[in-house]
Amino acid sequence: TARWRKEFGLRALVRRQGVDAAMCEREAGHAKLYVRGYDRRGRPAIYLKPGRESYEFPDACVRFLVYNMERAVACLERQEVRGRLVGDINDTLSRKVILIIDFNNTGLLNPPPISVARESIHILQDHYPERLGQAFIIDAPWVMSAFFHAITPFIDPVTREKIQFVSEEAEARVERMQRYFDPAELEADMGGTAAEPFRSHVYLRPPPGGAAALEAG
């Protein structure tokens, strides 16, 4: 993993240096992938919205995913330092991130390329092993079932068990999702009450001191 981090150029990516600065601005501008809020156990949530993705730049899709994974891990480490994670030191589920994949407004003709999905899964499983605590797939279209079946061979069995498909509407969705999230920490379309829109310029704004921000948006 240390070798991969160097070869991948992770330091420059996290700091948004060189070509990664423009890449992050462009990718974040679509409001398609970002870290926002925490579940009831204090774990950061990563939102992924495929309906806002064009896949025009496949390599950038993967790099921006890694950038957001680094943000989520940084948030997780801050939560641990601040004593905000629910669970004792032996509870491995408390030191993971949450993934929310929202398929609202996703066209049937715009599924992610298999190459992007395969590379993303490879990076997550090999370089962020056991970082996933839970994944919620919201309003998946029927074609998603075929796509999920296609990528299943690349997903380890432990990870597959953490994936939940959420298709309930209205109060039923609210009831289900609020088992895992405080309403104020979850976006309204997912069953929460957080109504503040995502703003990429705020998300990418560096904190005082000039270092790249790695904090939940």
Side-chain angles (χ1 to χ4, degrees):
T1 296
R3 179 180 178 182
W4 169 81
R5 294 174 75 89
K6 182 177 181 179
E7 293 177 348
F8 195 79
L10 202 58
R11 182 179 179 85
L13 176 60
V14 168
R15 293 171 176 266
R16 302 198 305 273
Q17 295 175 336
V19 295
D20 285 319
M23 181 276 293
C24 284
E25 289 183 9
R26 182 186 67 243
E27 298 296 303
H30 296 295
K32 63 181 181 179
L33 177 60
Y34 49 86
V35 184
R36 188 179 206 181
Y38 302 89
D39 75 348
R40 291 189 180 278
R41 304 187 65 157
R43 302 175 296 187
I46 302 174
Y47 284 82
L48 175 59
K49 302 188 175 184
R52 300 176 180 178
E53 176 63 86
S54 67
Y55 303 108
E56 183 179 0
F57 304 99
D59 290 343
C61 294
V62 175
R63 288 189 69 78
F64 195 57
L65 171 63
V66 172
Y67 171 78
N68 281 280
M69 275 300 301
E70 288 295 310
R71 284 187 73 128
V73 171
C75 291
L76 187 63
E77 291 172 348
R78 288 191 182 93
Q79 289 288 88
E80 185 170 14
V81 169
R82 295 168 181 170
R84 295 177 180 173
L85 290 178
V86 176
D88 59 36
I89 193 170
N90 297 315
D91 183 4
T92 56
L93 288 177
S94 69
R95 290 162 177 78
K96 300 183 185 297
V97 301
I98 303 301
L99 179 61
I100 300 174
I101 306 178
D102 176 20
F103 278 96
N104 276 303
N105 302 313
T106 301
L108 298 180
L109 300 179
N110 191 38
I114 290 293
S115 60
V116 172
R118 184 170 56 241
E119 179 66 13
S120 299
I121 292 170
H122 165 70
I123 287 175
L124 293 177
Q125 291 186 164
D126 288 3
H127 306 295
Y128 298 92
E130 287 301 302
R131 278 296 189 182
L132 179 65
Q134 194 81 55
F136 298 93
I137 300 179
I138 312 293
D139 293 331
W142 65 265
V143 73
M144 179 58 192
S145 298
F147 177 76
F148 186 74
H149 178 74
I151 65 173
T152 292
F154 306 110
I155 306 176
D156 68 73
V158 175
T159 299
R160 286 201 298 269
E161 290 298 317
K162 298 175 181 178
I163 298 173
Q164 292 191 40
F165 283 82
V166 179
S167 58
E168 297 93 335
E169 299 179 357
E171 290 302 317
R173 175 173 298 185
V174 170
E175 181 179 353
R176 179 175 180 178
M177 295 303 289
Q178 288 187 8
R179 300 174 196 165
Y180 306 95
F181 292 87
D182 182 291
E185 293 286 332
L186 185 66
E187 291 185 1
D189 288 344
M190 312 305 132
T193 59
E196 183 71 17
F198 172 81
R199 294 183 173 88
S200 62
H201 70 282
V202 175
Y203 189 64
L204 296 178
R205 180 186 298 161
L214 288 177
E215 185 59 84

